[in-house]
């Protein structure tokens, strides 16, 4: 290996160590530290935080298996999974339409997809608060068609907000994959009497799969840690891992437990990334 | 002659450096709590540039100070958090008793349990936490926490709470006759049962955007603070602050200086400035919460007649600094509620 190939990577390694590895190790250390009486922590080894995820004291003072944190983890996975699937389903046609426009329109449409990122996330989520509220146009339409109750502060509102927040991260890689499609393959499909549906299923989908997989990771990972949408649009009625971690560092003043939950979240993210990397490697090996 | 000049120049540089550090003052206060008019006035008077950051809960402020090197010169936590911050060694002893501001403080707020020696804090504002109802939604009496915790038909599904347990659990304790900071599991189970029974009628647990939610009748009842209700009512919302016979949860926010603050002198100057009669009156009129320092009553906007929110006739009980065991029970109530 040439010197540059080793030393050229030093800045990247330094950055990784300083901004990822070291903070992660600190979080890991805090998760097994002794909690402070009023928040904070002391450097005494105490791994009880991890036990607390599965076992906690009930109202009678007995230590018992308690599924409440597992339920929160499960809900977070479900929500992030649903967000990812909906984003996939919506972004395929959107990306296809964009990819088949003339270059000028294409550039404009891509610009429009990324436009929301120019505005702070909190402002965008607040906008949904207004749109879905009783006085907002969607809320009013809902009442006009005779809908029951309000749209805000429901799991549905939360999901709408999450899909809205993360869908650009899905559209862009899917668009890139569709754009690389060779039109000759589609024509070949047509020549072989494939219906539009068959072409979509057997030609377009497999060829855009890398884009979808990349988009899925980009959406799923941040969706796991989401805080704003459950708090504002979901009305904070049910905790997710993000809000649970926030509560532990805030009101509960239990930093080690917050750090332990954060590490569980981190482990889930790493797992997703590893599965994805393995699949990518296998794909590469095949081609 | 020359060495002297050099010394003079060196002194000038040495003096100029701290002067530069003294040129800014970083405030970390409850969101929108300090009158912008006063900040401008203070900047014009002293030449100090004031930066403000806002927090929405005492927990946020505490967490930030515990994380270290917050960069703030003044924070304004409530009484029980002042106590915790003092005990945790997070505050600078500013000798509050010797400040000009101290002479302005009403005697009843001196030597309180959270700062018995008056070494760390000067009070800024006080008030109560309770609940308000929108009269377009609910017309019945609002003289008990029962309206909030066991909502009548008009309020079913239209109650909103806060996103933190601090005051909400306190209110439930007042309603049930459970003492604040109880370490008794059986008693706290009652609090949990009450909140759990209320949950189906709660539209949201959220401390943001309350004004809008309650003012537009998106919800009919909301946990809230006295002065915010007053301001929103003055803006034309058809709302009223309840006076539950079981009592209201009291709070008092104080100016404190975090340990290691860069501009302690500027902070003291600001605290003195805010406590001057004229300025305290401007602050009172802006913030719409009761003032613990002397006011110019000819200019004070709120009276018992036009602002009953600020002059409750029911008992007021101040939040305490709970032991970790008691705090864990509060957290358990809240986590089990939202699991």
């Amino acid at each position: 290996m040439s010197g540059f190939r080793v030393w050229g990577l030093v800045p990247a390694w330094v950055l990784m160590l300083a901004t990822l590895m070291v903070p992660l190790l600190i979080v890991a250390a805090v998760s097994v530290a002794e909690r402070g009486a009023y928040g904070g922590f002391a450097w005494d080894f105490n791994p009880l935080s991890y036990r607390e995820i599965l076992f906690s004291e009930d109202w009678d003072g007995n230590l018992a298996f308690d599924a409440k944190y597992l339920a929160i983890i499960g809900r977070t996975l479900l929500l992030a999974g649903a967000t990812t699937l909906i984003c996939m389903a919506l972004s395929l046609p959107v990306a296809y339409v964009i990819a088949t426009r003339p270059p000028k329109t294409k550039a404009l449409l891509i610009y429009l997809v990324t436009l929301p990122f120019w505005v702070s996330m909190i402002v965008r989520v607040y906008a949904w608060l207004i749109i879905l509220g009783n006085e907002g146009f969607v809320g009013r339409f809902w009442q006009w068609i005779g809908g029951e109750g309000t749209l805000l502060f429901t799991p549905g509102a939360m999901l709408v907000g999450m899909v809205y927040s993360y869908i650009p991260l899905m559209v862009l890689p899917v668009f890139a994959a569709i754009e690389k499609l060779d039109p000759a393959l589609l024509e070949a499909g047509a020549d072989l009497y494939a219906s539009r549906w068959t072409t979509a299923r057997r030609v377009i989908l497999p060829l855009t799969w890398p884009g979808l997989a990349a988009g899925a990771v980009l959406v799923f990972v941040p969706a796991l840690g989401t805080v704003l949408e459950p708090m504002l649009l979901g009305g904070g009625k049910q905790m997710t891992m993000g809000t649970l971690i926030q509560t532990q560092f805030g009101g509960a003043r239990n930093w080690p437990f917050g750090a332990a939950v954060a590490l569980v979240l981190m482990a889930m993210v790493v797992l997703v990334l590893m599965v994805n990397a393995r699949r990518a490697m296998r794909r590469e090996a095949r081609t | 002659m020359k060495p002297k000049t050099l010394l003079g120049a060196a002194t000038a540089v040495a003096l100029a450096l701290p002067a530069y550090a003294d040129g800014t003052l970083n405030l970390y206060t409850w969101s929108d709590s300090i009158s912008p008019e006063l900040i401008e006035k203070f900047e014009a008077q002293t030449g100090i540039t004031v930066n403000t950051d806002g927090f929405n809960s005492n927990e946020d402020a505490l967490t930030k100070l515990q994380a270290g090197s917050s960069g703030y010169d003044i924070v304004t936590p409530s009484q029980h958090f002042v106590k915790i911050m003092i005990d945790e060694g997070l505050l600078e002893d500013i000798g509050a008793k010797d400040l000009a501001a101290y002479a302005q403080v009403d005697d009843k707020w001196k030597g309180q349990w959270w700062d018995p020696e008056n070494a760390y804090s000067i009070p800024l504002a006080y008030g109560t936490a309770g609940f308000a109802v929108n009269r377009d939604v609910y017309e019945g009496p609002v003289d008990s926490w029962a309206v909030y915790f066991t909502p009548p038909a008009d309020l079913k599904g239209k109650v909103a709470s806060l996103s933190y347990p601090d005051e909400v659990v306190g209110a439930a304790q007042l309603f049930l006759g459970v003492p604040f900071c109880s370490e008794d599991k059986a008693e706290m189970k009652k609090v949990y049962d009450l909140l759990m029974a209320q949950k189906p009628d709660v539209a949201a647990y959220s401390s943001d955007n309350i004004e809008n939610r309650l003012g537009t009748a998106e919800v009919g009842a909301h946990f809230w603070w006295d002065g915010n209700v007053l301001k929103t009512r003055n803006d034309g919302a058809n709302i009223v602050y309840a006076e539950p016979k079981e009592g209201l949860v009291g709070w008092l926010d104080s100016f404190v200086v975090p340990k290691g603050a860069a501009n302690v002198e500027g902070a003291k100057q600001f605290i003195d400035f805010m406590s001057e009669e004229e300025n305290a009156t401007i602050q009172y009129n802006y913030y719409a919460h009761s003032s613990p320092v002397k006011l110019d009553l000819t200019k004070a906007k709120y009276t018992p007649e036009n602002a009953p929110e600020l002059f409750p006739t029911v008992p007021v009980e101040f939040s305490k600094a709970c032991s970790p065991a008691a705090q864990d029970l509060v957290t358990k109530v809240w986590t089990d509620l939202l699991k």
Side-chain angles (χ1 to χ4, degrees):
Chain A
M1 250 197 276
S2 76
F4 183 74
R5 280 187 70 181
V6 177
W7 296 109
L9 283 176
V10 165
W13 278 110
V14 168
L15 201 68
M16 278 262 282
L17 269 173
T19 62
L20 189 71
M21 294 322 229
V22 172
L24 200 60
L25 285 175
I26 294 175
V27 174
V30 171
S31 76
V32 290
E34 183 74 40
R35 64 182 288 202
Y38 298 101
F41 57 91
W43 289 120
D44 293 314
F45 182 73
N46 181 356
L48 285 186
S49 294
Y50 289 95
R51 190 186 71 182
E52 206 178 324
I53 294 177
L54 292 177
F55 297 92
S56 53
E57 266 187 32
D58 63 14
W59 287 108
D60 300 322
N62 306 316
L63 196 68
F65 174 73
D66 188 343
K68 71 182 168 200
Y69 296 119
L70 288 184
I72 293 171
I73 293 171
R75 174 181 306 128
T76 310
L77 285 170
L78 202 69
L79 201 61
T83 305
T84 310
L85 286 180
I86 296 173
C87 283
M88 274 181 165
L90 291 178
S91 64
L92 263 177
V94 171
Y96 189 82
V97 167
I98 296 176
T100 49
R101 292 311 99 177
K104 250 192 176 164
T105 327
K106 209 185 313 195
L108 178 72
L109 290 175
I110 283 296
Y111 171 70
L112 288 178
V113 167
T114 52
L115 195 63
F117 279 116
W118 292 52
V119 178
S120 152
M121 181 86 122
I122 197 155
V123 173
R124 287 186 277 142
V125 175
Y126 257 97
W128 276 106
L129 215 55
I130 296 167
I131 295 169
L132 294 176
N134 285 347
E135 303 291 309
F137 70 90
V138 176
R140 278 179 187 231
F141 179 74
W142 177 249
Q143 287 157 358
W144 183 71
I145 59 166
E148 283 280 317
T150 54
L151 293 175
L152 214 51
F153 310 133
T154 56
M158 193 156 67
L159 210 53
V160 166
M162 287 177 66
V163 168
Y164 168 79
S165 300
Y166 298 122
I167 200 168
L169 300 173
M170 182 71 85
V171 170
L172 296 178
V174 173
F175 162 77
I178 290 182
E179 229 202 355
K180 273 192 282 181
L181 271 185
D182 189 347
L185 291 174
L186 301 186
E187 280 165 27
D191 288 345
L192 295 166
Y193 297 105
S195 68
R196 274 167 170 258
W197 171 240
T198 312
T199 313
R201 197 163 50 88
R202 300 194 54 181
V203 182
I204 299 179
L205 199 61
L207 287 173
T208 52
W209 189 248
L212 280 167
V217 170
L218 287 179
V219 170
F220 189 76
V221 166
L224 276 180
T226 190
V227 172
L228 277 181
E229 291 85 357
M231 286 236 301
L232 295 176
L233 298 173
K237 295 188 79 173
Q238 292 183 316
M239 283 191 182
T240 57
M241 291 185 82
T243 52
L244 175 65
I245 293 168
Q246 199 199 29
T247 310
Q248 293 306 321
F249 280 93
R253 300 180 212 146
N254 191 347
W255 290 23
F257 185 66
V261 177
L263 277 191
V264 171
L265 181 68
M266 187 79 196
M268 281 161 41
V269 168
V270 169
L271 198 72
V272 170
L273 293 177
M274 270 167 53
V275 167
N276 195 59
R278 270 185 75 122
R279 296 177 71 142
M281 263 154 69
R282 251 190 259 143
R283 218 172 19 238
E284 207 128 287
R286 250 185 281 141
T287 51
Chain B
M1 204 56 203
K2 209 160 188 194
K4 231 177 182 173
T5 325
L6 223 123
L7 190 71
T11 321
V13 170
L15 284 176
L17 280 175
Y20 176 74
D22 286 351
T24 57
L25 189 66
N26 296 312
L27 307 185
Y28 192 43
T29 64
W30 289 90
S31 298
D32 305 319
S33 63
I34 306 287
S35 154
E37 179 191 339
L38 287 179
I39 293 197
E40 270 175 38
K41 190 173 163 189
F42 180 76
E43 287 181 326
Q45 248 178 40
T46 61
I48 294 174
T49 309
V50 179
N51 304 314
T52 50
D53 263 347
F55 57 81
N56 288 314
S57 73
N58 283 305
E59 286 84 354
D60 289 351
L62 176 66
T63 308
K64 208 145 201 177
L65 292 198
Q66 276 171 333
S69 56
S70 62
Y72 297 116
D73 301 302
I74 288 183
V75 186
T76 61
S78 307
Q79 76 285 352
H80 46 319
F81 280 73
V82 170
K83 168 90 174 123
I84 292 172
M85 288 173 183
I86 293 173
D87 289 351
E88 295 278 288
L90 296 170
L91 300 185
E92 193 79 39
D93 183 341
I94 52 168
K97 206 177 232 166
D98 303 325
L99 294 181
Y102 185 71
Q104 301 292 107
V105 175
D106 193 330
D107 282 341
K108 75 172 170 183
W109 298 118
K110 292 176 176 171
Q112 287 283 351
W113 55 267
W114 52 87
D115 186 12
E117 303 297 322
N118 296 298
Y120 300 92
S121 65
I122 291 285
L124 157 70
Y126 70 95
T128 59
F131 71 99
V133 298
N134 187 314
R135 280 306 190 193
D136 296 335
V137 178
Y138 173 74
E139 289 175 339
V142 284
D143 58 351
S144 167
W145 278 107
V147 176
Y148 179 77
F149 285 117
T150 55
D154 289 345
L155 289 175
K156 286 213 175 295
K158 295 198 146 199
V159 173
S161 186
L162 298 181
S163 56
Y164 277 110
D166 200 15
E167 279 103 348
V168 181
V169 166
Q173 287 168 325
L174 286 177
F175 179 53
L176 295 169
V178 171
F180 284 178
C181 296
S182 169
E183 293 183 18
D184 182 335
K185 286 205 165 156
E187 282 186 328
M188 291 307 283
K189 173 81 166 45
K190 281 196 244 165
V191 172
Y192 167 73
D193 288 340
L194 178 72
L195 293 177
M196 199 62 201
Q198 182 207 20
K199 191 179 179 186
D201 292 324
V202 177
Y205 294 88
S206 171
S207 306
D208 297 292
N209 212 18
I210 298 177
E211 182 173 317
N212 202 16
R213 202 153 44 232
L214 186 63
T216 61
E218 182 96 43
V219 297
H222 213 306
F223 203 101
W224 217 7
W225 292 275
D226 52 351
N228 302 72
V229 177
L230 169 61
K231 269 204 260 186
T232 311
R233 188 170 59 78
N234 282 342
D235 287 343
N238 189 16
I239 59 175
V240 56
Y241 192 55
E243 294 225 8
K245 55 179 182 279
E246 300 90 358
L248 291 162
V249 183
W251 55 266
L252 178 135
D253 298 337
S254 294
F255 291 115
V256 297
V257 178
K259 187 145 261 173
N263 192 358
V264 177
E265 284 315 307
K268 288 184 187 173
Q269 218 175 328
F270 186 79
I271 296 169
D272 281 340
F273 169 85
M274 288 297 289
S275 307
E276 283 168 27
E277 202 167 295
E278 187 193 335
N279 298 337
T281 312
I282 296 172
Q283 169 65 15
Y284 174 72
N285 290 345
Y286 171 79
Y287 197 26
H289 286 293
S290 302
S291 176
V293 295
K294 270 193 211 96
L295 296 181
D296 178 352
L297 291 177
T298 58
K299 287 188 184 137
K301 209 155 86 179
Y302 306 112
T303 62
E305 288 73 40
N306 68 19
E309 290 91 344
L310 303 192
F311 304 89
T313 56
V314 294
V316 174
E317 190 161 349
F318 278 72
S319 300
K320 297 186 172 68
C322 293
S323 69
Q327 189 60 37
D328 278 355
L329 285 178
V330 172
T331 305
K332 181 165 170 57
V333 166
W334 205 250
T335 326
D336 282 5
L337 180 70
L338 301 181
K339 70 183 173 193

